[in-house]
Amino acid sequence: MLSWLGFLMIAVFMYLIMSKRISALVALIVVPVIFAFIGGFGAGIGDMMLTGIKQIAPTGIMLLFAILYFGVMMDAGLFEPLIAKILKIVKGDPLKVIVGTAILSALVALDGDGTTTYMITVSAMLPLYQRLGIKPMILAAVPMLSLGVMNMAPWGGPTARAMSVLNFDASQLFTPVIPAMIGGMAWVIVVACILGKRERKRLGIIDLSQDHANGLAAGEMAAASADPLKRPRLIWFNLLLTVVLMVCLIMSILPLPILFMLAFAIALLINYPNMEQQKERISAHAGNALATVSMVFAAGIFTGILTETKMIDAMASTIVSLIPDALGSHMPVLVGLTSMPFTYFMSNDAYYFGVVPILANAAASYGVDPVEIGRASILGQPLHVLSPLFAAQYLLIGMVGVDYGEAQRFIIKWAFGTSIVMIVIAILTGVISL
């Protein structure tokens, strides 16, 4: 009964946000509360919600100061030379811009962190998208698809969890999956080409040498280049600060929230030493920060209730119990396919530490090597980055300025395709058995 209550809660949530009945922020708070009362958990609902908020708090703090930091970097003009270089290469071709977005986001995603991937990609590419008139939804979709593949790297999280819980090393579990990852990224490039051709047909190849290329007259362009917020003399300092920040993030020198807080304070102090300027810069980015962080804390309530009521455990047990004995020998493929909904509706911790061991034990009884279950379990990650429990996506959607429900409808089919491509390649290469 508890598992079906959980499934119904997820279904209602998805229906409400995708049909635009209510906003995602409201749905993340109201829907789980209602279902917790229906399930008879009213007495402890406050503690459950607070537990979820506490768990998500470090992420919320990190996103708040990450938004402010990269906002200051954009104001100061750190990405202007990169944008100018990209403009020179793409020559106003939307197809090249979108394919370039896929490549850039894949390279940045090598660090395995969704927040920094989205921050850097959007900060660099958003002005270009705006200048060329490319649909912002594409800038939300392409980095998300790239991260869905690159997040499978051992240091990204999911693979590390699978290795630890099943006691395999990277050479056993991850290395054989690399061809499938390459295939997944090839699919992302194909999707970028499809979307790029649509935009090229809609917009044409824009002549950036003309004033109308970015919608600015010559005088307006000159004014933009003389923007008092720009800090061209500090570009090398800002670049060094950003590189140091990225290195510290990768090496985990300090907790992520602390790193972004320190970096933001330094960036604001050096670029805008005047107190009034500091207040203006914080206010300028406060709206974006509030929209993103509020969604993160709302997701904490959703996660807290889903986890503390044990709905998530019951849902996992139900799905595992529904696998017929006749399909036991096909467990790797089934795990690959079910990893998509599992990782969409569950946190990676809940899935890899709670469900995957059960699946591996069940598969072993049918003579299936548990390492195949581990490999199959990470192939659904392209759907996980769309999960309402994946905090970084709220940052991406907030920065790009698109609706959460619309983003889900637009991206989910492409993400599903990414996982299917990787599963097929994994079967063909013998990484998982059919």
Side-chain angles (χ1 to χ4, degrees), residues 339-354:
S339 68
M340 289 186 274
F342 265 132
T343 56
Y344 183 89
F345 295 124
M346 302 175 70
S347 68
N348 276 334
D349 284 339
Y351 178 59
Y352 288 102
F353 294 129

Side-chain angles (χ1 to χ4, degrees), residues 5 9 12 16 29-40 45 305 311:
L5 188 67
M9 184 181 87
V12 170
L16 289 174
I29 299 171
V30 173
V31 172
V33 168
I34 292 174
F35 276 85
F37 276 110
I38 292 174
I45 195 169
I305 290 177
M311 285 186 196

Side-chain angles (χ1 to χ4, degrees), residues 45-112:
I45 195 169
D47 291 336
M48 293 178 185
M49 296 167 73
L50 192 58
T51 298
I53 292 173
K54 287 178 179 178
Q55 290 174 345
I56 207 75
T59 300
I61 295 168
M62 178 194 68
L63 291 178
L64 170 62
F65 285 94
I67 291 169
L68 294 174
Y69 175 80
F70 281 99
V72 168
M73 290 296 104
M74 290 186 69
D75 291 338
L78 173 62
F79 302 102
E80 293 295 322
L82 176 62
I83 295 166
K85 185 68 175 177
I86 294 173
L87 279 170
K88 187 176 180 180
I89 294 172
V90 303
K91 297 179 180 178
D93 187 347
L95 173 59
K96 293 180 181 178
V97 172
I98 295 169
V99 172
T101 302
I103 296 171
L104 174 62
S105 56
L107 291 174
V108 178
L110 282 171
D111 74 346

Side-chain angles (χ1 to χ4, degrees), residues 138-286:
I138 295 174
L139 185 53
V142 174
M144 201 174 283
L145 294 174
S146 295
L147 180 66
V149 176
M150 302 309 295
N151 196 42
M152 293 166 56
W155 51 87
T159 303
R161 290 176 174 88
M163 290 189 300
S164 64
V165 77
L166 298 178
N167 295 315
F168 292 109
D169 60 30
S171 64
Q172 295 171 300
L173 195 148
F174 170 71
T175 304
V177 182
I178 291 176
M181 283 184 66
I182 294 172
M185 269 314 304
W187 165 256
V188 173
I189 298 295
V190 169
V191 173
C193 288
I194 293 171
L195 299 176
K197 287 182 178 179
R198 290 179 184 174
E199 288 300 276
R200 179 195 275 175
K201 183 178 180 181
R202 185 175 70 90
L203 299 169
I205 297 177
I206 301 167
D207 184 0
L208 292 173
S209 66
Q210 302 298 320
D211 291 344
H212 68 267
N214 58 12
L216 297 175
E220 291 173 314
M221 293 174 69
S225 64
D227 190 337
L229 294 177
K230 302 298 183 216
R231 297 291 184 266
R233 294 181 180 179
L234 293 172
I235 190 167
W236 290 110
F237 170 82
N238 289 330
L239 178 61
L240 178 62
L241 178 61
T242 302
V243 170
V244 169
L245 173 61
M246 293 300 108
V247 171
C248 291
L249 287 172
I250 294 170
M251 297 178 65
S252 299
I253 301 296
L254 289 171
L256 268 62
I258 302 302
L259 286 172
F260 272 111
M261 291 176 75
L262 289 172
F264 166 68
I266 294 169
L268 193 64
L269 180 63
I270 299 300
N271 286 275
Y272 305 102
N274 182 277
M275 186 177 293
E276 288 304 315
Q277 288 180 320
Q278 293 177 3
K279 290 180 180 179
E280 289 174 1
R281 292 304 89 219
I282 293 172
S283 298
H285 302 288

